[in-house]
Structures are given as C-alpha cells and as structure tokens.
C-alpha cells in the first residue's frame, strides 16, 4: 500500500506549521491546503476532502484555545479523529454466529478479487472454528467454478457449483439448501462479476439476493482503482443491500483513498483487506491503525 507518500505530506504540513512561532488562521489554512492536496493525491474523493477540511476548521477554533495549549497537537488530533470518523460508520457489520447458519453473498466487478476473497473469508472463519462452505453462482465467467473449486479444495472447504446449469439463481438456491441441510454455519455465495457496472449484472445480483435471502452482502472492491471508487461502490449499494466492504490488493498501488470512498458510498464498514494473492494474505481492518499509517 502506498500510504507512505500521503503520510509524508501530512507530516510535512504539520511540521511546517509547528515551525511557525504563531499559529493563526493563515497558518492553519496553509496547513489544511497541504493536507487537502495530499489527500487528493491519495485518491480520496474531492467531496470527502472538502467535508474533512470544513469539519477540522469547525473543530479547531484557534481564537478559543487557551494559551499554553499545543495547537499543533490539537490540529493533528482533529485530523486523525476526522479521518477515523469517515471510516467508522458507527454501525458494526453483521457477525455470523458459530453453530447458526448464516448466508453471506459476495458481489463486485470481475477482476476485483471476489472469488479469491470468498475463499480467504471462508478460511479465516474456518481457522476460528466455523464450518464454512462455498457456492459458485458465477455462471458468466468461464473458469469461475474451476477457480473456486481449486481454492476450496486447497483450503479443504466444501463447495458447490455446476458445469452445466446456466442459471445462477438456481445454483445459488441449490447450494445454499444443500449446505443448510449439512449444517454448515457459514454459507458463502460467490456471484458473477462482469467487467462493467452493467444493468444485467445488477439484475442478476438482485435475483440471487432475493432467492437466497443472505444475512450479509459483502461488496469486494479493488483498492487501487483510485477516484472511480466512490461511483462504483455507490452503484453496487443501489442494487443490493450491502452490509460490509472488503478492499483487495492493498499490497499493491492502493493509496488508501479508496477505503474512505467505499465506506462513504456504501455507508457500510470496511471489515477486511486483502494484502496479497495468497489465501492467508487477509487482515481484519482496523480503522485507527489504518489512519495512523495514512497520516504518519
Ligand atoms: P474476481 O474476478 O473478482 O473473482 O477476481 P479473482 O479472485 O479471480 O482475482 C483477480 C486477480 O486478483 C487474481 O489474479 C488474484 O490472485 C488477484 N488478487 C485477489 N486479491 C488480491 C490481493 O489482495 N492482492 C493481490 N496482489 N492480488 C489479489
């Protein structure tokens, strides 16, 4: 993740401010301008940056600070808190319970890392004592079932799919029913991706969701897509009741802004991040440590 550059810029802006003997409105404005530039370069959506800037200005009222207060610390803390607030929806994500069947549906564009993430998610829970199972309801991409089958076999997780059935809704329903009967407590449904946010994809997702009635729909997004993140996340949110977001490829060129955009657009918490192609390269997302890395 290329968070270092942003961290450096924010730290530089704060340092510049601390070198000034007096911290007045002008110095604060100059500092906020530099931070704004750094956030935009990190692919944070323009509107979010503007909101952040306004909030910090409202919180940091220089005139009312008693003498002796470390203004630099107060400003730094305000930036930290505001970024945390943007990433924390205040609503915890749905948590599957061991021993009680939960259905979790994965949605996202093709290539986002959805199929890989389904297995990572299953494996993560399997290690913690759940009994996961994987259903491949992606009948659109040739090879999708083979990929899921391969991953699932490697991770020793039961799977369901079909080489002949072309109706994703039917496969999803059959798979979910079978694993419910087998008392699997975490049934993960991988859906079709497609390249674009096309109407057919959204309609299919809607139908699979209606037929399987998932407890949670997770939106998987490539963390390195930059400014496109907000619109993509919002388009998915409008079609399916997204309850959580997972960002992938955070080991690559992702700059962090995608995380803020995805949370803002879906109003759902970011629960995990993918940090590599390997099945174990998967981390629980922690708001505070992410922001610490973001701003240094
Ligand atoms: P899908 O089309 O959305 O199901 O995407 P896939 O699961 O097939 O993943 C697309 C590509 O992204 C594959 O080459 C994966 O190995 C890769 N990938 C998935 N997650 C990550 C990740 O967190 N980091 C990296 N570096 N690559 C990933």
């Amino acid at each position: 993740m290329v968070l270092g550059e942003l961290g450096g810029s924010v730290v530089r802006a704060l340092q510049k401010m601390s070198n000034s003997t007096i911290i007045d409105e002008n110095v604060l404005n100059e500092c906020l301008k530099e931070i704004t530039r750094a956030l935009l370069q990190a692919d944070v959506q323009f509107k979010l940056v503007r909101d952040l800037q306004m909030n910090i200005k409202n919180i940091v009222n220089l005139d009312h600070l008693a003498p002796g207060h470390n203004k630099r610390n107060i400003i730094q803390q305000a930036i930290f808190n505001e970024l945390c607030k943007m990433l924390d929806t205040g609503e915890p994500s749905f948590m599957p319970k061991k021993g009680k069947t939960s259905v979790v549906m994965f949605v996202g564009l093709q290539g986002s890392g959805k199929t890989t993430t389904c297995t990572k998610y299953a494996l993560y829970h399997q290690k913690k004592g759940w009994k996961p199972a994987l259903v491949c309801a992606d009948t659109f991409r040739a090879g999708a079932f083979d990929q899921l089958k391969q991953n699932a076999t490697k991770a020793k997780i039961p799977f369901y799919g079909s080489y002949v059935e072309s109706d994703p809704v039917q496969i999803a329903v059959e798979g979910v029913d079978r694993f419910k009967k087998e008392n699997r407590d975490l049934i993960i449904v991988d859906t079709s991706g497609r390249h674009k946010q096309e109407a057919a994809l959204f309609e299919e997702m809607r139908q699979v969701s209606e037929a399987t009635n998932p407890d949670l729909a997770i939106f998987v997004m490539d963390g390195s897509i930059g400014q496109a993140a907000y619109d993509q996340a919002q388009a998915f949110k409008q079609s399916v009741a997204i309850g959580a977001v997972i960002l992938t490829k955070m080991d690559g060129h992702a700059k962090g802004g995608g995380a803020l955009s995805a949370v803002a657009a879906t109003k759902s918490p970011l629960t995990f991040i993918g940090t590599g192609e390997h099945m174990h390269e998967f981390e629980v997302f922690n708001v505070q440590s992410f922001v610490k890395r973001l701003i240094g």
Side-chain angles (χ1 to χ4, degrees), residues 109-116 120 141 147 248-249 251 274-277:
L109 286 190
Q110 190 169 317
S112 61
K114 194 165 38 61
T115 302
T116 310
K120 285 180 172 180
R141 179 165 67 95
Q147 188 189 346
T248 61
K249 310 186 191 179
D251 49 311
T275 54
E277 295 193 45

Side-chain angles (χ1 to χ4, degrees), residues 89-141:
T89 54
E91 294 211 11
S93 167
F94 165 82
M95 296 288 282
K97 285 194 184 70
K98 269 183 221 164
K100 183 178 175 293
T101 300
S102 300
V103 176
V104 178
M105 172 179 166
F106 276 66
V107 300
L109 286 190
Q110 190 169 317
S112 61
K114 194 165 38 61
T115 302
T116 310
T117 307
C118 282
T119 318
K120 285 180 172 180
Y121 183 82
L123 191 60
Y124 172 88
H125 285 91
Q126 182 171 257
K127 280 193 288 185
K128 292 196 174 303
W130 266 269
K131 293 191 296 173
L134 289 158
V135 178
C136 175
D138 180 357
T139 51
F140 184 78
R141 179 165 67 95

Side-chain angles (χ1 to χ4, degrees), residues 251-294:
D251 49 311
H253 296 291
K255 293 180 191 162
L260 293 159
S261 296
V263 171
T266 60
K267 298 186 176 57
S268 306
L270 188 45
T271 50
F272 292 93
I273 54 172
T275 54
E277 295 193 45
H278 194 272
M279 284 303 122
H280 296 281
E281 288 170 320
F282 193 59
E283 294 172 16
V284 172
F285 179 75
N286 180 286
V287 173
Q288 302 230 338
S289 59
F290 180 83
V291 173
K292 265 190 203 133
R293 276 159 76 189
L294 196 64

Side-chain angles (χ1 to χ4, degrees), residues 26-45:
N26 285 340
V27 176
L28 174 63
N29 283 341
E30 201 47 47
C31 171
L32 284 176
K33 221 160 63 189
E34 291 219 16
I35 289 165
T36 300
R37 202 174 307 139
L39 289 169
L40 288 172
Q41 273 168 11
D43 290 334
V44 182
Q45 196 213 20

